[in-house]
Amino acid sequence: MTGSAREFVVEADGGSRGNPGPAGYGAVVLDAATGETLVEAAEYLGVVTNNVAEYRGLLAGLRAAAELDPDATVHVRMDSKLVVEQMSGRWKIKHPDMKPLAAEAARVFPPGRVTYEWIPRADNKHADRLANEAMDAGARGEQWSPSTSTAELDAATDRAASAGRTAGSRRSGDRPAAAPAGAGEAADVAAAGGDAPSAGEPLPRTTTRTGAGSAASGGGEAAVSGGGAIAGERVGRAARTGAGSAVPGTAEAPAAADVRAAKVVASPGWGPPDMGAPATFVLLRHGETPLTPQKRFSGSGGSDPSLSPVGREQAERVAESLARRGTIEAIVASPLARTRETAGIVAARLNLAVTVEEGLRETDFGAWEGLTFGEVRDRHPADLDAWLASPDAEPTGGGESFAATATRIAATRDKLVAAYAGRTVLLVSHVTPIKTFLRLALGAPPESLFRMELSAASLSAVAYYADGGASVRLFNETSHLR
């Protein structure tokens, strides 16, 4: 091995919907020192077993690491006890479908340069989500594409949301108890003909990891809006969230620890570790109207414009993107024309109905409706200054204050969280309501509304848990428009 050889962590997983059934794998290569994601791989395999899919994921991860640096050392982490024990040489490989795959995996790197570790399934979310994306693509008659993957983002934000809920078990230097392999894993071992460890043989150790997403910021329509692209590629991928450990079996370098600590977004408190599936709101701002590029105030008290041709094209593009992701279970829209039209285009693509919710409407900007910021400054300077200084101030002519909007959105949020617990729902709304959802989830002050950019037809997302905690998972995603 040369002095410049790198150290990688490979996380891999595979799954089969039927065992055997439609199957796929996912694998990710991480920089061992920083946790940065270097390569993602996934593939739909057709009909095979869980264990074959897991071995195919391992093989893909090792090959990807070898392409980055054939002289590297690699630490493999998988939630398949069978694969970890067999590749570590502690269990025999009896199944004829797995013997050649294991032999091929063993040849990617010379002996002694690859180590194996079992981790709980909850700590292998990135690879698991890649495998499921591959299976979902196969169900649509497609192959997985990295350009549409949200696995890194979803896994990182899930870990971030759970980090605060499990912090109590890790405080004061305590280590979490090792989680046993599940009953499903034991069934896989038996079905594959693997040998169980003898009495007293140590089980693979567990690893606890954390990660976080990131958000971009800017401004929206009129005084609180406008066009603009997301900061970086895609949220989550720009910050390269996710966690890795330093060199396996050694103390983590201080620089690596600083990197990881800076990426952790945790809810406060000592909540229980499993709050169940959250209600996830995917927040879609409507497509452009004729007023949007002119940056005019366009609330719920104005002309109620429809989408422009550009806005309809934007809605078609976001509909296609959401169809590829395949996670939306219901659609709820503001009653205004531009949101109902955007929601209708998406609903037709997803084959879902649209429910109209009055609470999602835009703020009423009173006498400022249809005016630009400069025109309001010229005509109503004192009222504008007061509005910029206080969330309780109303626009000229009896419009709605930001404080009143926040009260309305909070009530709407609570109503929808109760109605859609554990489900992923698309909320088609406007600049101020969507920013307010995000502000309330973050506990940010009212003035933060002026420091966020929300583009037309952009996607944001917030997950709400049973204990009242919230996790911002996405902000101003616009890659589908490019």
Side-chain angles (χ1 to χ4, degrees):
M1 183 176 68
T2 66
S4 61
R6 301 174 66 182
E7 296 169 343
F8 299 131
V9 172
V10 168
E11 295 175 353
D13 200 9
S16 173
R17 295 170 179 172
N19 199 27
Y25 70 73
V28 56
V29 182
L30 308 171
D31 184 284
T34 66
E36 178 188 6
T37 296
L38 303 176
V39 179
E40 289 177 315
E43 184 181 1
Y44 176 65
L45 299 173
V47 176
V48 300
T49 66
N50 279 325
N51 297 137
V52 167
E54 288 166 344
Y55 264 106
R56 290 288 300 273
L58 168 63
L59 188 56
L62 290 174
R63 285 172 171 168
E67 288 183 7
L68 290 173
D69 187 346
D71 295 322
T73 58
V74 179
H75 186 61
V76 175
R77 301 195 292 219
M78 297 180 69
D79 61 62
S80 171
K81 183 173 176 61
L82 177 76
V83 175
V84 167
E85 293 297 287
Q86 288 180 339
M87 292 303 298
S88 298
R90 292 185 289 267
W91 293 5
K92 294 179 181 179
I93 305 172
K94 296 180 178 180
H95 199 286
D97 290 343
M98 288 185 287
K99 280 186 176 181
L101 292 172
E104 195 171 355
R107 289 193 296 267
V108 177
F109 286 95
R113 291 240 302 272
V114 181
T115 56
Y116 289 86
E117 177 182 16
W118 178 83
I119 58 174
R121 181 163 296 181
D123 288 349
N124 201 28
K125 290 188 176 188
H126 192 167
D128 174 75
R129 289 181 180 275
L130 286 168
N132 276 284
E133 285 184 350
M135 287 184 275
D136 290 341
R140 299 190 300 269
E142 305 169 359
Q143 279 292 347
W144 176 84
S145 170
S147 64
T148 61
S149 175
T150 62
E152 182 177 22
L153 169 68
D154 295 341
T157 50
D158 274 358
R159 290 194 300 269
S162 65
R165 307 178 198 283
T166 58
S169 67
R170 299 196 296 273
R171 68 186 185 276
S172 302
D174 291 342
R175 293 179 180 270
E185 183 71 64
D188 282 350
V189 170
D195 292 340
S198 59
E201 185 171 351
L203 290 174
R205 66 189 185 278
T206 62
T207 300
T208 299
R209 303 182 294 124
T210 56
S214 67
S217 63
E221 193 165 86
V224 291
S225 73
I230 188 168
E233 281 183 68
R234 296 163 55 212
V235 176
R237 201 172 300 278
R240 288 298 179 194
T241 56
S245 65
V247 180
T250 68
E252 186 172 42
D258 289 346
V259 170
R260 292 177 61 187
K263 292 180 179 179
V264 174
V265 176
S267 301
W270 306 105
D274 184 5
M275 300 305 301
T280 301
F281 294 167
V282 179
L283 306 166
L284 169 61
R285 185 190 168 194
H286 61 82
E288 282 191 12
T289 75
L291 300 182
T292 306
Q294 300 175 30
K295 298 185 179 180
R296 295 184 180 275
F297 283 93
S298 183
S300 59
S303 60
D304 193 16
S306 298
L307 297 180
S308 66
V310 170
R312 286 190 289 275
E313 181 182 354
Q314 290 172 333
E316 293 284 358
R317 290 192 179 188
V318 76
E320 186 60 35
S321 175
L322 291 171
R324 287 195 301 268
R325 299 183 189 194
T327 57
I328 301 300
E329 300 172 81
I331 300 176
V332 182
S334 152
L336 300 182
R338 53 197 181 273
T339 41
R340 286 189 290 107
E341 188 175 358
T342 301
I345 291 171
V346 175
R349 180 65 179 84
L350 301 185
N351 196 27
L352 293 171
V354 177
T355 299
V356 173
E357 170 54 54
E358 175 67 24
L360 295 177
R361 62 178 171 80
E362 178 61 285
T363 299
D364 184 344
F365 292 113
W368 301 352
E369 295 280 358
L371 302 180
T372 66
F373 186 86
E375 289 169 342
V376 173
R377 168 68 72 189
D378 291 341
R379 301 179 192 185
H380 311 285
D383 289 348
L384 180 61
D385 287 342
W387 182 73
L388 293 173
S390 171
D392 295 312
E394 297 177 347
T396 306
E400 187 179 20
S401 70
F402 282 155
T405 299
T407 299
R408 166 166 58 87
I409 293 302
T412 302
R413 173 202 62 199
D414 294 345
K415 172 184 174 182
L416 294 176
V417 166
Y420 295 101
R423 303 172 68 188
T424 299
V425 185
L426 182 70
L427 305 186
V428 188
S429 190
H430 310 262
V431 168
T432 312
I434 292 175
K435 288 186 178 183
T436 302
F437 272 106
L438 296 166
R439 179 181 79 76
L440 295 175
L442 293 170
E447 57 265 29
S448 64
L449 293 177
F450 296 104
R451 299 170 185 169
M452 290 186 271
E453 178 174 349
L454 203 69
S455 305
S458 64
L459 292 169
S460 302
V462 183
Y464 298 93
Y465 290 85
D467 65 347
S471 172
V472 174
R473 300 190 166 196
L474 189 68
F475 177 69
N476 200 38
E477 166 66 62
T478 58
S479 63
H480 48 276
L481 302 179
R482 296 195 286 274

